[in-house]
Amino acid sequence: VFMAVGCQWTSVAYLVLLAHGVAKALLFTSIGSVIYTTNCQDLTELGGLGKRMPATVIGFVVGTAALVGVLPLGGFWAGYRVITRLGFDRPGIIAVMLIVNALTALNLMRMIRLVFFGSSGDIMLNYQFPMTGRMPSLVSTIMVQHLQGFSDE
């Protein structure tokens, strides 16, 4: 974002901010529903929640895919805009961007594996997550899938 603003690519900076913000909001609401439902924040104690919280899994996986730039989600279009604006005459900056993106993907995949598909812990689901908490997650899931419309200049 700072690079885009510094190069006066305001539309690219807005797209990156929007794509990143919506994807992070989706991740935060998904993990918030896990914390609210289980009263636990320790990843090693959580596990096997994928079968018991399918909507949360979908939201978290879509948010992860959008954040790391999987086609056709918003993060891809933002990254594509940055890379095409940089051109391929600056491979160092593109390499750093791709390495950081790969590390982010690895960390988020580790979290998905531990929380949703890991061995079942002794965590009991205490509450049903309220609809007021599920609606922002649903809206964010829909938004992150339609951000490619904002990529045109």
Side-chain angles (χ1 to χ4, degrees):
V1 172
F2 293 115
M3 183 176 55
V5 169
C7 294
Q8 297 180 353
W9 304 334
T10 54
S11 63
V12 174
Y14 286 138
L15 180 63
V16 171
L17 276 174
L18 182 65
H20 186 82
V22 171
K24 281 288 192 168
L26 184 53
L27 291 175
F28 289 152
T29 56
S30 297
I31 282 301
S33 72
V34 169
I35 293 169
Y36 182 86
T37 306
T38 62
N39 286 332
C40 179
Q41 296 184 30
D42 187 2
L43 292 178
T44 60
E45 292 180 16
L46 296 170
L49 294 177
K51 293 177 186 171
R52 298 188 283 180
M53 301 178 77
T56 303
V57 174
I58 291 169
F60 197 85
V61 169
V62 169
T64 298
L67 191 64
V68 298
V70 174
L71 183 69
L73 302 175
F76 172 81
W77 298 108
Y80 177 75
R81 279 292 202 204
V82 171
I83 289 174
T84 55
R85 285 289 181 103
L86 282 173
F88 291 101
D89 42 314
R90 295 183 188 98
I93 295 173
I94 294 173
V96 168
M97 192 171 101
L98 293 176
I99 289 169
V100 168
N101 201 17
L103 291 173
T104 301
L106 286 173
N107 186 37
L108 289 171
M109 292 307 294
R110 177 183 162 269
M111 189 168 9
I112 289 171
R113 183 182 54 83
L114 284 173
V115 173
F116 299 114
F117 302 114
S119 61
S120 295
D122 295 332
I123 298 295
M124 298 292 293
L125 299 180
N126 297 330
Y127 308 102
Q128 178 71 13
F129 196 60
M131 190 58 143
T132 55
R134 284 186 254 165
M135 285 308 293
S137 184
L138 176 65
V139 170
S140 297
T141 304
I142 293 168
M143 280 183 67
V144 83
Q145 295 173 5
H146 291 88
L147 283 178
Q148 71 265 18
F150 295 109
S151 66
D152 296 334
E153 288 190 2

